[in-house]
Amino acid sequence: MKRTIENIEYEQNSIDIAVFAKALGHPTRVEILKYLDSQSCCFTGDLVDVFPIAQSTISQHLKELKNAGLIQGELKPPKIRYCIDRENWEKARLLFDEFLK
Amino acid sequence: MKRTIENIEYEQNSIDIAVFAKALGHPTRVEILKYLDSQSCCFTGDLVDVFPIAQSTISQHLKELKNAGLIQGELKPPKIRYCIDRENWEKARLLFDEFLK
DNA sequence: CATATTAATCGCAAAATTACGATTAGTTTT
DNA sequence: AAAACTAATCGTAATTTTGCGATTAATATG
C-alpha cells in the first residue's frame, strides 16, 4: 500500500471499537463465538466437527479472536480449551453500546 | 482462494452482525461515523477537511458504510449530504446488544 | 456556453484476509 | 521408545482491502 500519510492518528476509542469489530467481521467467527457462548467453552476439535471448514482455517479464526481479546485459550493437554474472555467481552459490549446509542 | 467448500451456510443473524461489524472494522470509518453523529449530517468535503486522507479514500470508506447500510446519501447538488441511517443503526445496536449480552 | 466545484470512479500497487493441505510441536497412550 | 492425537504453524494461492493520484460526471456559477 502506498501510505503517504503513515501514522494517521485515531482516538484510542475508535481503535478499540475497530479491533473488536474487525474480529466480528466474519460470519464464521461470529458463529464460533455463538458456539463458544452456548457451550461456555470448547476445544478446537469440537469446532472442526461443527463447522465445515478445515482445521487450519478454524485455528486461524481462533487466533484472530484471541488477538482481538475476545477469547482465551487454556492448556488442557493434549487439548486447548477456548473460552470467551468475559472481561473484554464486557468491554466490547460497553464500547458498542456507547457508540451505537 | 481455494474454496473447496464454497457456499458455507451461516445463520442470517451471523451474516448481519458480520456485515455491520466489518464496516466498523476500520478506525477511519468509526471516526467518520462519530463525526456524522456529532454533526448529524455532513458532506464529503467536510470529511476531507477533517481527516488527513485523500478524497478518493474517504469516498471509498463512505461507499462501504453505505453498502453496509450504516449511512445514507442525499443529493443536495452539487454536494451530497451524508447522514447516519438511523433505522439500520438501531438494527445494528439491537444485534450487537443481543449478541454481546 | 465556458468554468468551477463536488464527489464518485478508474487504474494501480501494496498489504491483509481467507482458505487449503502439509508439516510440525507438544502431549498421551501403548 | 513408538504410535496416536491435538492444534498451531508454514507455504501457497486467490481475493479483498486500503490508499493514492488522475479522471470523469454532474451540477452550479460566471
Side-chain angles (χ1 to χ4, degrees):
Chain A
M1 258 180 275
K2 282 173 296 178
R3 298 269 153 85
T4 50
I5 295 145
E6 67 280 356
N7 279 2
I8 298 172
E9 270 173 39
Y10 300 107
E11 293 172 30
Q12 188 56 48
N13 176 272
S14 302
I15 294 170
D16 294 344
I17 290 172
V19 166
F20 284 133
K22 197 175 184 184
L24 298 178
H26 194 289
T28 293
R29 288 196 288 272
V30 172
E31 300 209 342
I32 285 174
L33 288 169
K34 279 184 186 173
Y35 186 81
L36 264 176
D37 196 38
S38 74
Q39 308 287 310
S40 90
C41 283
C42 81
F43 303 102
T44 309
D46 302 342
L47 297 170
V48 174
D49 294 338
V50 171
F51 295 98
I53 49 181
Q55 179 265 321
S56 57
T57 304
I58 287 175
S59 213
Q60 236 173 291
H61 282 306
L62 288 173
K63 192 183 181 183
E64 283 188 58
L65 290 171
K66 208 165 74 176
N67 287 344
L70 287 169
I71 64 173
Q72 15 175 221
E74 190 194 351
L75 277 161
K76 288 273 178 185
K79 300 187 178 182
I80 292 172
R81 183 200 204 70
Y82 281 106
C83 306
I84 286 173
D85 185 321
R86 290 294 166 190
E87 201 176 324
N88 282 328
W89 190 260
E90 174 68 5
K91 201 185 276 181
R93 200 184 63 72
L94 291 171
L95 279 171
F96 284 112
D97 186 56
E98 159 77 10
F99 180 65
L100 293 168
K101 81 161 184 298
Chain B
M1 256 180 277
K2 282 171 295 177
R3 297 273 153 84
T4 51
I5 295 144
E6 65 281 355
N7 279 3
I8 298 172
E9 270 173 37
Y10 300 107
E11 293 172 31
Q12 187 57 46
N13 177 272
S14 302
I15 294 170
D16 293 343
I17 290 172
V19 166
F20 283 133
K22 196 174 185 185
L24 298 178
H26 195 289
T28 293
R29 288 194 289 271
V30 172
E31 301 210 341
I32 285 174
L33 289 169
K34 280 184 187 175
Y35 186 81
L36 265 176
D37 196 38
S38 74
Q39 307 287 308
S40 90
C41 283
C42 81
F43 303 102
T44 309
D46 302 344
L47 298 170
V48 174
D49 294 338
V50 171
F51 295 99
I53 48 180
Q55 179 265 321
S56 57
T57 305
I58 286 175
S59 213
Q60 237 174 291
H61 281 307
L62 288 172
K63 192 182 180 180
E64 284 189 57
L65 289 171
K66 208 165 72 176
N67 286 344
L70 287 169
I71 64 173
Q72 21 177 217
E74 189 195 350
L75 277 161
K76 287 273 177 184
K79 301 186 178 182
I80 291 172
R81 183 199 204 70
Y82 281 106
C83 307
I84 285 172
D85 185 322
R86 289 295 165 191
E87 201 177 323
N88 282 328
W89 190 259
E90 174 68 5
K91 201 185 276 182
R93 199 184 64 73
L94 292 172
L95 279 171
F96 283 113
D97 186 56
E98 160 77 10
F99 180 66
L100 292 168
K101 82 161 183 296

